[in-house]
Amino acid sequence: MIAVRNKTAIPAVSIPMTRYLACAALLAFSTPALAQDENDYRVRVGLGAMVQPVFIGSEDFQVRPIVDADFAKGTNPFGFGSPDDPIGVKLFSKNGFSVGPAVNLQRKRSVSDLDLPLKKVPTTFEGGGFVQYMAGESFRIRADLRKGFGGHDGLLGSVGADYVSRDGDRYVFAIGPRVLFSDSKFQRAYFGVSPADSVTSGLPQYRPSGGIYALAATSSLSYQLSSRWGIFGYGRYERLVGDAAKSPVIRDLGSRNQLSGGIGLNYTFIIKR
């Protein structure tokens, strides 16, 4: 998820929500069809809002922006990607198999996010790679592995599968399970209690090991209102398990159940060649 800021100051204008929605709907259904050929590139950009836990294991929520971008050549449909995928680029793709780099920003945990003084975990840049297999248009298996830099410094990844139902770009619905795993560095950053933290917080010392730390399920839907305008949304449920679930940080200050979801509007345009 990427925060977007306007570089130009715009005076605040009060517009009734019903009028805004009516204008948006009129614009969506009155836009002419896109004219294109096989050499053109279609670009779809989306912006919306999502609700997610403040940090991994938190029982509190925050609202953050969603930014999405997809590319397709000619009349080919946009490729499928799940909203919870790390950002990836396909460097090699053949016979349904794809491989490429993957990056992600792991959200921070501040001292003020907890009721007790525990060591903060800075925002972490994660870099690594992914491998994916797409069986036709209706089934996908994907795995990724990433290393954290500048924050938790751990190694983590996920393995997941998706059932995909689609009618070209008119609608795409997907649902599937996830298994999340990590090394001990990652788990100790978010779920551990060091001797120093135990003294300041009163929580018992806790030193989790690596392994599977969560199971999850994700569902998403995108729907084109016209050739240019569309809507998209997703929902995700994650359940902390293993050493993560036994952590006093989670038992006393957080929650094993992690819910998130979002909705947005996208716009498609053509780059002529």
Side-chain angles (χ1 to χ4, degrees):
M1 316 312 168
I2 304 172
V4 176
R5 294 181 174 87
N6 262 329
K7 295 184 178 180
T8 305
I10 301 176
V13 180
S14 176
I15 302 176
M17 182 57 69
T18 53
R19 186 179 300 175
Y20 173 80
L21 293 175
C23 291
L26 179 61
L27 179 61
F29 289 103
S30 63
T31 304
L34 294 172
Q36 62 192 76
D37 60 41
E38 293 299 324
N39 293 319
D40 295 337
Y41 282 95
R42 287 183 300 128
V43 181
R44 183 173 65 188
V45 293
L47 179 64
M50 67 176 178
V51 176
Q52 66 174 184
V54 175
F55 59 87
I56 298 174
S58 176
E59 63 180 359
D60 298 321
F61 296 89
Q62 64 181 0
V63 178
R64 300 181 66 190
I66 304 174
V67 175
D68 183 45
D70 300 291
F71 304 88
K73 186 175 181 180
T75 56
N76 294 329
F78 291 108
F80 169 72
S82 179
D84 59 346
D85 290 343
I87 299 172
V89 177
K90 296 179 182 178
L91 294 184
F92 171 82
S93 187
K94 186 176 182 180
N95 298 328
F97 284 96
S98 301
V99 178
V103 297
N104 185 52
L105 278 180
Q106 193 70 249
R107 54 194 182 276
K108 67 180 179 179
R109 187 187 73 189
S110 302
V111 175
S112 60
D113 292 331
L114 299 168
D115 293 330
L116 295 176
L118 290 176
K119 182 181 178 180
K120 71 175 182 178
V121 184
T123 300
T124 307
F125 171 80
E126 298 169 350
F130 76 93
V131 59
Q132 173 180 296
Y133 175 67
M134 196 82 192
E137 292 187 344
S138 30
F139 186 72
R140 183 189 78 153
I141 299 176
R142 179 184 171 109
D144 68 84
L145 187 65
R146 310 181 308 276
K147 175 70 171 68
F149 299 94
H152 59 69
D153 289 324
L155 189 68
L156 72 160
S158 65
V159 178
D162 294 277
Y163 167 73
V164 183
S165 175
R166 68 184 303 168
D167 178 9
D169 290 329
R170 192 172 72 87
Y171 73 83
V172 181
F173 170 77
I175 188 169
R178 308 283 189 267
V179 178
L180 286 71
F181 57 89
S182 71
D183 66 3
S184 58
K185 281 187 177 181
F186 176 86
Q187 296 216 29
R188 289 169 192 167
Y190 284 99
F191 312 125
V193 181
S194 68
D197 283 340
S198 179
V199 171
T200 58
S201 68
L203 295 175
Q205 294 183 33
Y206 188 69
R207 189 176 174 85
S209 301
I212 295 174
Y213 71 88
L215 302 175
T218 299
S219 179
S220 62
L221 174 67
S222 65
Y223 185 84
Q224 286 299 123
L225 301 172
S226 71
S227 59
R228 292 186 182 273
W229 293 95
I231 57 174
F232 65 95
Y234 85 99
R236 175 182 164 99
Y237 170 69
E238 182 177 314
R239 174 80 169 176
L240 297 178
V241 298
D243 283 3
K246 299 173 186 176
S247 167
V249 177
I250 302 303
R251 289 188 288 105
D252 296 350
L253 305 175
S255 173
R256 294 181 64 185
N257 300 305
Q258 304 284 283
L259 294 169
S260 60
I263 190 169
L265 185 69
N266 57 44
Y267 179 78
T268 302
F269 61 92
I270 288 178
I271 297 177
K272 289 287 186 180
R273 292 193 65 190

